[in-house]
Amino acid sequence: MIDEITFEVLRHRLDTINDDAAAVLARLSGSHLAAEARDLNTAIMAPDGRVVCCGRYVLAQVVSMHLVVRDILENYADNPGFGPGDQFVTNDPYIGTLHQPDVVVVAPIFVDGELVGWCGSTAHQADVGGPNPGGITYDARSIFDEAVPMPPVRIVEGGRLRRDLEREYLVRSRTAELNRLDLVGQVAANRSVTAEVGRLCGQYGADAVAAVMDRLLERTEALLRERLRALPDGRWRHVAYVEYRPHGGTTEAVYAVRLTMTKRGDDLELDFTGSDPQAPGTINAAYPALAGFAIGGVLIYLCGGLPWVPGGVWPVVRIRSREGTVVHARWPAGVAMSTAATCQAVRVSVNACLARMLEASRDLAHLVMASCQAAGGGGGTVHGERGDGTSYATMTLDEITGGGGATWSGDGADSSGYTTSPGASCANVEVNEAYLPLLYERRAELADTGGPGRHRGGVGTLHALTPHGDGASMTMMSFGQGLQHPLAAGVCGGEYGGQSVVAVVPDLAGLADEGERRLPMPSATVPIRTGELLVSVSQGGGGLGDPLDRDPAAVLDDVLDGLVSVRGALRDYGVVVTGDPRRPDGLRVDDPATSRCRDDRRHARIGRPPAPPAPSRQGRPLSAVLDLLPPAGDAPHREGVVACGRCGTVLCGAAGNVHEHLVVSDASPAERSPLGAVYEGADRFVLRRLYCPACAVQIDVQVCRTGDPVLAAIEVL
């Protein structure tokens, strides 16, 4: 046994060693994806592969890295075997990576001939081959139409890089030199971890280091189970949608990712078995990607204040899936675009269900967070030729500028990127211009893109760029998601964040005009010619709480900061802003007009004057706006009843679907689409708002397909 002080010293040393490895990888890489945007991560693992230290960059890249180690242990223990100084490279999404562009390199850590652990790193590489530059082929019918994945291969043997295997790996790529530098950086990062862990074992003993790893795993599992026991049992649901146009088709098909989350005692089940069958293309997620984004979501949205030790989370969270679905594809389905499509829907669904569970707890509601942006249509790969005839293929990562979700205590962070990738960011404009033959006309936060709520979601960002240089050409392959409907879910009655936008336009002048713009969905390849602008908008984060409860002074501050327009203040919050910003007294809130406007909105929601608030809440919270009350006397509902937490009105029995007893109002998602962009197919979706029939408070907001029944998002067990 080791004492607590030694334990704390060693666990922080392991974290520091792992963080230093990520810095080594970023410094040695020649790619802006790693060096600037930090689309990478590192991990230290126990001897069986369970992750005990994970970097704070792209969490989904490392939380399921044990699957790679498990494959090596099961298949290579005797042939070819592994020993000190060995390293294995793979980009096989059916074994343990997210998709083919995310290359994983893992290495065993030996001390005095004994295996004490593993280390690993992941880096998104600019191009790993396949028919389409950038490594993602939108029209892929199967994985054989994409970059062909490489199973784990021992590329470093006894500390020496195998030149034959390095050539085999690099010949696949159009950006071989960048990939070589990434590979060198990953190998060096693993060598750094191996050497530092060896020194740590030399100082404290290998047994002590092993004991720290075991305690980290055990303690994290125990703490997470303790947190779950403090939360109410229940079942929660969310549905998110992914669009994909099959090869040769003219219309996007819609695929549903359906999550039913059940919590009993200290057990948490994420059931995705109701998701749609896999697509005949590239949006599908293989199981490792499903697991990576699901567990990454649990770390962010449930484990606040707990150790981030993925290996300790896995025993607590049970993932149920069905092979052959869009979230658990069967070989050889195409999966290269999964991280920007189905995986985003997985992460949003986990986020939404965990938020519903947490908002029912008086002690843990402070952890509630709405969804951050999802990868949208503005994300994708760009490729072409420079003026000198050399080719390029990569991502700009402009889409990692969307808004963060609102929290229980405040607004979401503006243009902050993915919550589940806390250390990743968009590349700097000047860096992209230095690497690529393009010129940015604008990058700026865009008003009204944050999800409205009592607390506002963070806003997204507008980008406009054009090919630059003599003879330069550019083609984009858009991910094509979040254009027809929003993806970043609000919570506690908050609204969804703004949608994506991607379009090629002659100039920026027309974008300032109000009004609707009918746009086609992007095709597999979108050419951008000299003199044209590629315009994209990253998504906003979801809001928290009824927008009509937002402090008008906070809305005015947002207007003054350029985050909400005067028109948006009225449309989304019922706040009347008057005045002239050019005058000394500037803009101000018209308080009487705002009160009248909000009263009229509440009246319109339910068709009559709303009931007044109750003096206090009764029973235990079922959500931020619903209460679960015990049965009273000879009441027909022996299991208890669900009541509105705002006005106290009883809505239904506890065994019923409370959402069926709310006032439902369906609207077009296009009503808040940035720049007035409306894409073909948007009419297949509705934004469904649900209100208390007595006091008109907004209880929930759902995105669903037109004509779908109301989702039973909360179920009392």
Side-chain angles (χ1 to χ4, degrees), residues 244-325:
Y244 177 68
R245 183 184 302 172
H247 185 83
T250 58
T251 305
E252 280 73 24
V254 177
Y255 296 85
V257 172
R258 298 183 178 92
L259 171 60
T260 299
M261 186 184 84
T262 303
K263 181 263 167 185
R264 294 182 186 270
D266 61 2
D267 177 82
L268 187 66
E269 179 184 87
L270 305 177
D271 186 351
F272 292 93
T273 56
S275 298
D276 283 350
Q278 66 190 40
T282 190
I283 63 168
N284 306 293
Y287 177 79
L290 164 64
F293 275 81
I295 299 298
V298 170
L299 279 172
I300 287 291
Y301 300 114
L302 181 60
C303 296
L306 302 183
W308 277 8
V309 180
V313 174
W314 275 88
V316 183
V317 181
R318 186 170 61 260
I319 299 174
R320 292 189 60 199
S321 59
R322 181 166 50 90
E323 191 176 23
T325 56

Side-chain angles (χ1 to χ4, degrees), residues 509-522:
L511 296 180
D513 301 332
E514 294 185 1
E516 189 175 284
R517 293 177 179 81
R518 307 293 298 189
L519 297 173
M521 288 291 286

Side-chain angles (χ1 to χ4, degrees), residues 219-229 266 298 302-303 306 312-313 316-317:
R219 183 167 292 181
T220 299
E221 178 180 351
L223 288 170
L224 181 53
R225 291 193 184 280
E226 180 183 356
R227 174 160 291 180
L228 286 171
R229 286 193 294 270
D266 61 2
V298 170
L302 181 60
C303 296
L306 302 183
V313 174
V316 183
V317 181

Side-chain angles (χ1 to χ4, degrees), residues 406-486:
T407 69
W408 194 260
S409 58
D411 295 342
D414 299 314
S415 58
S416 60
Y418 302 112
T419 313
T420 45
S421 301
S425 64
C426 66
N428 187 282
V429 165
E430 285 77 13
V431 169
N432 277 347
E433 290 177 339
Y435 272 83
L436 304 168
L438 54 82
L439 180 69
Y440 280 82
E441 296 286 342
R442 183 175 301 175
R443 176 186 275 179
E445 291 179 336
L446 188 61
D448 299 329
T449 51
R454 177 169 53 87
H455 293 151
R456 173 184 54 76
V459 301
T461 303
L462 169 71
H463 310 265
L465 56 88
T466 186
H468 182 66
D470 294 337
S473 65
M474 179 177 294
T475 299
M476 180 192 192
M477 189 219 71
S478 168
F479 294 145
Q481 299 300 316
L483 300 170
Q484 297 176 350
H485 65 86

